[in-house]
Amino acid sequence: MFRLDTKVALITGASRGIGRATAIAMAAHGARVVVHYGKSRQAAEEVVKIISDAGGEADLVNFDVTHSESVETEIAAVEKRHGRLDILVANAGIAVDGLALRLSDEDLDLLWQTNVRGSLIAAKSALRTMLKPKQGRVIFVSSVVGEMGNVGQTAYAATKAALHGAAKSLAREFASRNITVNVVAPGFIDTDMTAKLSDDQREQLTKVIPLGRTGVPDDVAAACVYLASHAARYVTGQVVRVNGGLYM
Ligand code: NAD
């Protein structure tokens, strides 16, 4: 039901964390996976090796999501190399935390360029390849704080909320082409991004998560596999929350 055989999936920011888990999960479900990385070639190569060792197919692509031209050129090259691009998971993102009154213009610009512009340029490039075959899946990775807000995350939350509006608009614009566009909004997931939380912060956080634990990357990867699969053919413009019940 959730098989992705014959599909080509590009996952941005796949050298670690949620992107890495999603790349491995999609390959395990039969997709040919393009593992995107920004700086960590070695870590990305390890992901390709894990997939190959398990009998799957994967290769690499490198670009900085803030460089629009490279995003467009490299995604077009992926389509040329594989003859198709069926699934994009726009996962690459950064968090810059800090109280609102201390936010600098530079932080705002960097967050916008990476989380919003980077995801939208990648989506635009992927959607262009999906038009003719009249099929495709775009999945944006946002965040629970895009819906519920968080102290110290004003700018980050704004960029993630922006993806919700973008996904819903794209979902409407591309529905007639049989292309779905959805969002996966993770809660607090154990990755490098959340590694800086102190034990005390983690304990406080766990107390307000109904399922009583922080998430793991595989929790989010499973939602991405579902949305990419045939099983989700009638799901578009939706936000799938993977947050242990933190926000309902
Ligand atoms: P992570 O920091 O481990 O991974 C982020 C990935 O994005 C890295 O591979 C990084 O290299 C890549 N990236 C960042 N900027 C880039 C750029 N300019 N060009 C190319 N690649 C770039 O974090 P993660 O926790 O795995 O996060 C993945 C996504 O999930 C992010 O969009 C994040 O905002 C979102 N998210 C994470 C959590 C969490 O608790 N970890 C919660 C909600 C949402």
Side-chain angles (χ1 to χ4, degrees), residues 22-38:
T22 303
I24 293 169
M26 287 206 177
H29 284 76
R32 257 186 290 159
V33 170
V34 183
V35 174
H36 161 265
Y37 68 98

Side-chain angles (χ1 to χ4, degrees), residues 16-18 36 64-65 91-93 141-142 156 160 186-187 189 191 194:
R16 65 186 205 203
I18 291 169
H36 161 265
D64 183 329
V65 299
N91 162 79
V141 179
S142 74
Y156 175 73
K160 293 303 189 177
I189 309 298
T191 68
T194 46

Side-chain angles (χ1 to χ4, degrees), residues 8-236:
V8 173
L10 166 62
I11 293 106
T12 65
S15 63
R16 65 186 205 203
I18 291 169
R20 177 184 191 271
T22 303
I24 293 169
M26 287 206 177
H29 284 76
R32 257 186 290 159
V33 170
V34 183
V35 174
H36 161 265
Y37 68 98
K39 290 192 181 128
S40 323
R41 185 176 180 97
Q42 202 185 333
E45 279 173 349
E46 277 166 30
V47 177
V48 170
K49 186 171 183 315
I50 290 169
I51 291 172
S52 315
D53 287 352
E57 273 184 69
D59 66 358
L60 291 174
V61 67
N62 169 234
F63 51 82
D64 183 329
V65 299
T66 66
H67 293 171
S68 302
E69 221 180 290
S70 324
V71 179
E72 287 178 354
T73 311
E74 291 303 326
I75 292 183
V78 164
E79 190 210 11
K80 202 159 175 218
R81 197 159 68 238
H82 289 280
R84 57 192 295 162
L85 176 59
D86 306 280
I87 301 158
L88 168 73
V89 184
N91 162 79
I94 53 164
V96 180
D97 297 342
L99 293 175
L101 298 186
R102 293 200 195 125
L103 270 174
S104 67
D105 286 2
E106 288 75 22
D107 287 345
L108 283 170
D109 288 348
L110 184 62
L111 274 164
W112 177 265
Q113 282 165 19
T114 311
N115 294 359
V116 184
R117 210 184 65 181
S119 298
L120 292 191
I121 301 291
K124 215 172 77 169
S125 308
L127 283 161
R128 201 171 279 135
T129 75
M130 294 169 180
L131 279 177
K132 218 166 157 197
K134 281 199 162 200
Q135 57 148 5
R137 300 292 161 94
V138 174
I139 301 163
F140 291 106
V141 179
S142 74
S143 167
V144 65
V145 304
E147 293 189 294
M148 67 181 270
N150 197 20
V151 172
Q153 293 200 302
T154 297
Y156 175 73
T159 63
K160 293 303 189 177
L163 294 178
H164 293 195
K168 290 175 191 190
S169 304
L170 289 170
R172 290 182 190 279
E173 216 169 299
F174 288 86
S176 64
R177 304 298 184 119
N178 193 34
I179 296 167
T180 68
V181 184
N182 290 288
V183 176
V184 171
F188 284 83
I189 309 298
D190 294 325
T191 68
D192 289 351
M193 193 176 269
T194 46
K196 53 187 179 235
L197 288 180
S198 67
D199 286 348
D200 187 43
Q201 282 172 314
R202 196 171 290 276
E203 202 185 313
Q204 295 305 321
L205 193 58
T206 306
K207 278 189 195 151
V208 293
I209 299 173
L211 283 179
R213 66 167 177 89
T214 50
V216 293
D218 280 346
D219 294 328
V220 184
C224 293
V225 168
Y226 162 68
L227 287 173
S229 74
H230 187 64
R233 64 196 174 276
Y234 199 55
V235 178
T236 196

